[in-house]
Amino acid sequence: MIQDATPEIDLALFGAMGDLAMRKLYPALYNLDRDGLLAAETRVLGLARQEIDGDAFRQRVEEALDKYLKPGNLDQQCVKRFIARLEYIQLDFATVEGYEAIREWREGVSRPMTVYLAVPAAIYGDICGNLEASESLDNQSRVVVEKPIGYDLESSQEINDAIGAVFPEERIYRIDHYLGKETVQNLIALRFANPLFGNQWNQNQISHVEITVAEQVGIEGRWGYFDKAGQLRDMVQNHLLQLLCLIAMDPPSNLDADAIRDEKVKVLKALKPFSRDSIGRDVVRGQYTAGSIDGTSVPGYLDEEGSDTESRTETFVAMKTEVANWRWAGVPFYLRTGKRMPDKLSQIIIHFRQQPHYIFDPDQRDLAANKLIIRLQPEEGIALQVLTKDGGLDKGMRLRPGPLHLDFNSAFPKSRIPDAYERLLLEVMKGQQYLFVRRDEIEHAWRWCDKLVAGWAERDIPPRRYPAGSWGPVASIAMITKDGRSWYEDY
Ligand SMILES: NC(=O)C1=CN([C@@H]2O[C@H](COP(=O)(O)OP(=O)(O)OC[C@H]3O[C@@H](n4cnc5c(N)ncnc54)[C@H](OP(=O)(O)O)[C@@H]3O)[C@@H](O)[C@H]2O)C=CC1
Ligand SMILES: O=C1O[C@H](COP(=O)(O)O)[C@@H](O)[C@H](O)[C@H]1O
């Protein structure tokens, strides 16, 4: 059944034959269609430079759905309905020639057009300029752009200027797909709907925060892109800093996009820059060497396809940082992300302070602090680790840590947890921007990262090696251990 809440749109998808489109966007659009969340008239125009016709394009998309959707979600009738929405135009995006075909596709149609740029950011400006020059846009058209926007502050400003010359900020949707993950939404609910947490959320009650985003994959054939970027630009500048902002921000006055984004910007501005000394002490860069993941041997970074054996690009970063404001002064935020780690795992751990006076067994003192464990993947859920009395007559007043657990899959068994791209595409269709990143957020994040990169270059700090399948260089463990703490390990 179509829910009339989703407005109809025309989606022009640049990069229609690329990895992102095949792996994420068509499956997400199909799932929305299957769940009755695509308006009947919504159409999708694939644009790419391959010389194929509409039928061959639809065939490729159908194969992608077969490959990337969970078998239980494939319903042949829905596949047929979804595929019938697709059309294809062959185009070289860099030149204006051929863009008139988009205008022709839109002739006689009044529904808004959304342009999705699933292409490298370096050609966002060309595409926006060509769309404008060919008069393919109107004053309702929106644009969706992917991360990373640029390589540093300067390049991101150039790209944002080029997009902004054609689209006003309120019609630009900058994707950070972590913001579409179910638990991230729940983080907002948890923090701002529950006084239990809202009132404890500060340096008086929280001792430190951990954010781990571990990936099992390596660079997946993306050497050309990744070796120029590295894990700091690929993951920290966007996903980890966005998570940090959602944890650290003050309550917004309402759920409007700008109210939320204003608060996130304040956090980014308050992030302490690293000094020459603290870079060596509080940041660890790593690069994986050959190893094994789930019992399968995998090559080291320098042996990946297309590699340059001299590369010093990092595939792992761990750091201790701080948000220098009244709420968070003195509370370390430990961040860690890497490729080729033992598990795919994204989680945030909020470590609460211990009770001011402790009355239980001194041997158990280390247990005596609550932790809030916010799991983004693989199993989405939130658990509060509390201490209770260990059961049994022979145990006396022994404490036992255990979770008060909210596992979204078992708590809400009937509702499928949607992929981040489903949520984000739906919000674009509805014209809601609160899950998208504003220009100033991106630029403040780059400013902070650029200083770190400059510090690495100045101090000439090479990445430390870690075997694929490990939790990163030993130095990343030492970095937190010297504060008398450890990375949360209940994987
Ligand atoms: N893949 C992913 O998981 C993620 C991707 N992203 C971002 O999404 C965007 C797309 O990434 P991804 O799909 O992986 O990239 P791909 O290289 O797989 O796809 C990009 C597509 O754009 C096409 N293209 C590039 N230049 C032109 C041009 N001048 N004219 C016509 N077609 C052109 C390429 O065509 P051709 O093959 O002919 O060169 C290719 O099909 C990037 O900005 C990336 O950073 C962000 C997060 C995750
Ligand atoms: O943006 C990116 O994210 C993926 C990790 O996303 P996830 O949803 O699978 O956690 C990362 O592998 C990729 O390098 C990066 O560009």
Side-chain angles (χ1 to χ4, degrees):
M1 198 182 71
I2 301 296
Q3 300 183 6
D4 55 17
T6 315
E8 58 196 54
I9 63 157
D10 273 355
L11 181 67
L13 176 53
F14 287 77
M17 303 289 281
D19 175 71
L20 181 75
M22 294 293 174
R23 231 164 25 85
K24 292 287 183 185
L25 302 182
Y26 302 125
L29 286 165
Y30 163 84
N31 277 332
L32 289 175
D33 197 355
R34 197 184 71 119
D35 288 357
L37 292 168
L38 274 195
E41 296 76 10
T42 286
R43 302 183 299 170
V44 180
L45 176 65
L47 297 138
R49 63 180 146 209
Q50 276 91 331
E51 278 188 49
I52 51 169
D53 63 16
D55 285 338
F57 172 63
R58 284 183 281 274
Q59 175 68 32
R60 292 285 292 276
V61 175
E62 212 171 323
E63 285 161 15
L65 296 181
D66 265 348
K67 186 167 171 190
Y68 295 116
L69 279 169
K70 290 191 180 130
N73 291 347
L74 264 176
D75 170 328
Q76 285 316 319
Q77 220 182 330
C78 296
V79 171
K80 221 168 136 195
R81 184 176 70 213
F82 174 67
I83 292 292
R85 298 174 185 273
L86 306 178
E87 291 168 62
Y88 180 78
I89 292 178
Q90 188 231 335
L91 188 67
D92 178 352
F93 305 157
T95 62
V96 72
E97 204 182 312
Y99 274 71
E100 69 284 352
I102 302 174
R103 197 182 57 234
E104 285 159 18
W105 178 63
R106 295 269 301 149
E107 254 160 30
V109 174
S110 59
R111 67 185 79 104
M113 175 161 77
T114 295
V115 177
Y116 197 122
L117 304 186
V119 296
I123 54 169
Y124 290 171
D126 284 348
I127 296 176
C128 293
N130 290 335
L131 282 166
E132 187 174 47
S134 61
E135 297 178 358
S136 306
L137 303 172
D138 58 38
N139 61 7
Q140 297 184 77
S141 307
R142 298 170 191 152
V143 66
V144 184
V145 291
E146 273 292 341
K147 66 143 278 264
I149 300 199
Y151 171 84
D152 55 13
L153 177 62
E154 197 185 336
S155 55
S156 107
Q157 283 171 331
E158 274 169 28
I159 294 165
N160 277 321
D161 283 347
I163 303 169
V166 176
F167 293 92
E169 183 66 32
E170 62 275 13
R171 287 195 266 119
I172 303 174
Y173 293 74
R174 295 183 192 80
I175 291 222
D176 182 311
H177 74 272
Y178 269 56
L179 295 183
K181 292 188 190 276
E182 185 77 2
T183 320
V184 170
Q185 313 258 292
N186 254 300
L187 184 55
I188 296 177
L190 183 87
R191 279 200 58 196
F192 303 126
N194 294 288
L196 174 67
F197 295 114
N199 296 337
Q200 310 290 317
W201 215 258
N202 55 48
Q203 41 90 13
N204 293 322
Q205 310 298 339
I206 291 175
S207 73
H208 62 289
V209 176
E210 265 180 68
I211 303 178
T212 289
V213 177
E215 302 184 71
Q216 269 193 327
V217 292
I219 55 162
E220 303 290 282
R222 294 195 294 157
W223 180 276
Y225 155 72
F226 189 85
D227 197 58
K228 285 197 202 82
Q231 196 74 352
L232 181 78
R233 295 185 177 93
D234 188 47
M235 296 295 287
V236 178
Q237 188 273 344
N238 34 79
H239 305 321
L240 276 88
L241 288 187
Q242 282 294 324
L243 295 179
L244 183 149
C245 283
L246 292 172
I247 295 291
M249 72 186 194
D250 277 357
S253 50
N254 54 51
L255 284 179
D256 287 354
D258 278 337
I260 294 176
R261 299 188 297 185
D262 287 346
E263 295 306 331
K264 288 197 281 168
V265 165
K266 286 185 204 160
V267 173
L268 291 165
K269 282 178 166 171
L271 265 186
K272 238 187 196 172
F274 290 101
S275 65
R276 202 183 147 75
D277 281 349
S278 65
I279 276 190
R281 193 185 56 230
D282 295 339
V283 188
V284 176
R285 305 175 70 207
Q287 187 186 77
Y288 60 83
T289 55
S292 90
I293 306 258
D294 285 344
T296 305
S297 301
V298 295
Y301 179 69
L302 298 181
D303 294 318
E304 293 284 8
E305 193 190 328
S307 74
D308 154 10
T309 49
E310 301 292 305
S311 172
R312 289 167 60 148
T313 297
E314 80 284 349
T315 60
F316 172 97
V317 191
M319 61 176 71
K320 173 170 122 174
T321 183
E322 193 182 322
V323 180
N325 63 17
W326 279 60
R327 186 185 284 272
W328 295 112
V331 177
F333 282 71
Y334 298 96
L335 272 46
R336 172 174 70 154
T337 178
K339 305 220 184 283
R340 288 292 189 218
M341 302 190 76
D343 288 312
K344 179 174 173 68
L345 172 85
S346 300
Q347 63 183 17
I348 301 167
I349 318 288
I350 311 291
H351 295 261
F352 289 91
R353 290 192 189 281
Q354 296 192 349
Q355 294 282 39
H357 179 59
Y358 181 76
I359 56 174
F360 298 94
D361 183 346
D363 288 349
Q364 293 194 294
R365 196 176 175 111
D366 283 353
L367 293 178
N370 297 131
K371 295 176 189 55
L372 184 67
I373 298 146
I374 302 161
R375 179 70 69 89
L376 279 73
Q377 50 196 22
E379 284 99 32
E380 296 89 342
I382 296 177
L384 179 63
Q385 189 173 295
V386 294
L387 293 162
T388 51
K389 181 192 162 306
D390 208 354
L393 291 173
D394 56 338
K395 301 276 172 44
M397 189 51 94
R398 292 284 297 171
L399 297 176
R400 185 182 56 174
L404 282 179
H405 201 187
L406 177 61
D407 168 344
F408 298 155
N409 278 314
S410 50
F412 311 111
K414 286 210 184 98
S415 52
R416 181 180 65 83
I417 294 186
D419 182 72
Y421 277 95
E422 292 175 45
R423 159 114 38 224
L424 295 172
L425 282 161
L426 192 59
E427 297 300 334
V428 174
M429 291 176 206
K430 292 183 180 171
Q432 288 171 2
Q433 283 189 307
Y434 75 107
L435 292 178
F436 298 85
V437 187
R438 205 169 58 190
R439 175 174 180 159
D440 50 349
E441 290 179 71
I442 305 245
E443 294 183 357
H444 283 296
W446 275 127
R447 238 173 233 118
W448 184 81
C449 286
D450 284 358
K451 280 190 199 135
L452 177 50
V453 172
W456 278 339
E458 192 192 325
R459 293 201 43 175
D460 196 23
I461 298 178
R464 295 166 191 268
R465 310 286 172 212
Y466 65 96
S470 72
W471 286 100
V474 178
S476 66
I477 296 163
M479 182 191 86
I480 189 167
T481 313
K482 73 179 166 7
D483 292 345
R485 299 178 172 133
S486 55
W487 296 104
Y488 180 74
E489 271 184 5
D490 188 5
Y491 307 124

